[in-house]
Amino acid sequence: MYIQLKEIQELFPDIPGFLSEENASYCLSGFFILSEHFLPSEYSSHCLYVTADPDILIKISPLHDLSFLLLTKDSDALFKIQNLNLPFSTLLLQTDDMDMVCLRLQKFFDDSCGMGLLTDSLLEILFFEGGIQAMIEQVFQAFKNPIYVFDADFKLIAHTCNVTVEDQGKAIIENGRLTDDDFKILNQTYKYEKLQQSEYPIKSVHPKYGFEQLLCAIDTKKDMGHIVINGINHSFSEIDSKMLYLLKKAIDQQMKKDEFIRNNRGFNYEYFLKDLLDGKIATGKQFHHRLNYVNSEFSGTMYCMVVETARSSQTLNTMHIRSVFETHFPGTRSLMYNGAIIILFSTKDTVFQPDDLAMINTLCEEQGIYAGMGNSFQNITSLADYYKQGLRSIELGICHKNSPGLFLYRDYYLSHIANIFAQKESANTFCHPQLKILLDYDREHNTDLSHILYTYLICERNMNAAAQVLYIHRNTLVYRLKKIKSLITIDYEDYLERQHIILSYELYQAEK
């Protein structure tokens, strides 16, 4: 935690005070009480100096990058100090209760130092591959209460050892998972779904045993399990919740790292692509010169295809699927990421050939997988954007055809735009006034003239093509266009008007 005077001021919301313009940028790590008879021979920029004597600040030789806390009931003294323009940072508090101030400071620095040490320990275990069990054993020294970690299937994957086991914990350890009673409590009393949505720990009381509990989901975006701490030895304070939050973040990283290593083959590009998708690599223009080596590995036109394994009705052999695409398309790279298969195609052409797309769709249907492919791109550092396009393609595509296959973002980008717009505005806000007349007419007379107009426009006003898409005779289309002309006025030669009508209809469809 980076501690400055601003954080110290927040410890005393109930006391009037003034914070001078803070010049020091150093992190405070403790405090020291100054008096006229007890002044240090040297001053540290990492120490907060506390005094109730305003004259001490005036007598001190000009020293920069120092932080002082002055306590006084004398409002005149406060005013005097404010106007001295001292060279160091000063927090003024209108109180003479030194004991109260020191107690708050001591607790704050103790908690902050404890949090810092806990973070260092967790990072060290993550770095040296200690694993989740090593984390639990290490942090027990801070919590002094039994800790249990469960995966998404409610199996016990780590717990504190060599401690007195309470009644609940003994049954859990023997079963290796939540007992039936605890499972009911988790769902009925704590509402597991609510727990999964809470980023921060939830404190409660066990309805059967009566002790306090801290519960926390490991990841709110994906069900990876949860952590429970039982308050057997002492009740919980705010610092326990903060430490549990740090613990869950470390366990989350460890589980994702374990999953990645388990599902991938150890190629360097897999780690590089994962870091890109996680946003761990700086990709701004100022950093491009550092990524020159990437150009030889990822060049030409690229496509990112995402296979959502969870959508398939059968258990998938992910390694086999990756091998199938890498065999049919030499130079293709793949990896597992967030439970999905990422397949990165590279082609020398500026676009994917229709025959290649047809082959990919066939492979998807044969393997029973749902895959989405984004638009083409040339800069590998943009991978995350096109990964999201792949996911969005599946989400939009299954609304039209809920069966295994390849869904292309280019076929659904208008629906994507419409969905984003509809989340903030009503389609009526944007709708072309002439199209609105036609939509109202369709609702009243149970016709589909608006759809016919839309199809005619997206077919570039080609009568034969539009009739074929609508599965009607050309003469029928001519008759219905005449009917549309009798109801509304449109300048078919105005590109902007045609575009407005097309987008208006797309937005209307998104809101239906």
Side-chain angles (χ1 to χ4, degrees), residues 249-282:
K249 288 294 185 183
I251 291 177
D252 181 36
Q253 288 299 312
Q254 183 67 51
M255 292 179 76
K256 288 176 178 175
K257 183 173 69 171
D258 291 344
E259 180 185 19
F260 179 79
I261 294 172
R262 184 171 61 251
N263 292 326
N264 289 286
R265 295 170 290 191
F267 295 129
N268 288 334
Y269 76 79
E270 291 175 324
Y271 295 94
F272 172 71
L273 295 179
K274 180 181 182 296
D275 285 345
L276 268 182
L277 292 169
D278 284 339
K280 295 180 179 178
I281 296 179

Side-chain angles (χ1 to χ4, degrees), residues 97-114:
D97 192 344
M98 178 68 78
D99 291 340
M100 176 273 295
V101 170
C102 290
L103 283 173
R104 290 193 195 182
L105 288 175
Q106 188 65 55
K107 184 178 186 308
F108 175 73
F109 280 109
D110 286 348
D111 290 348
S112 299
C113 291

Side-chain angles (χ1 to χ4, degrees), residues 493-510:
E493 300 303 320
D494 186 343
Y495 162 74
L496 291 177
E497 186 160 16
R498 297 197 307 270
Q499 182 186 57
H500 192 177
I501 292 172
I502 290 171
L503 290 175
S504 296
Y505 187 80
E506 290 282 351
L507 292 173
Y508 165 75
Q509 290 294 106

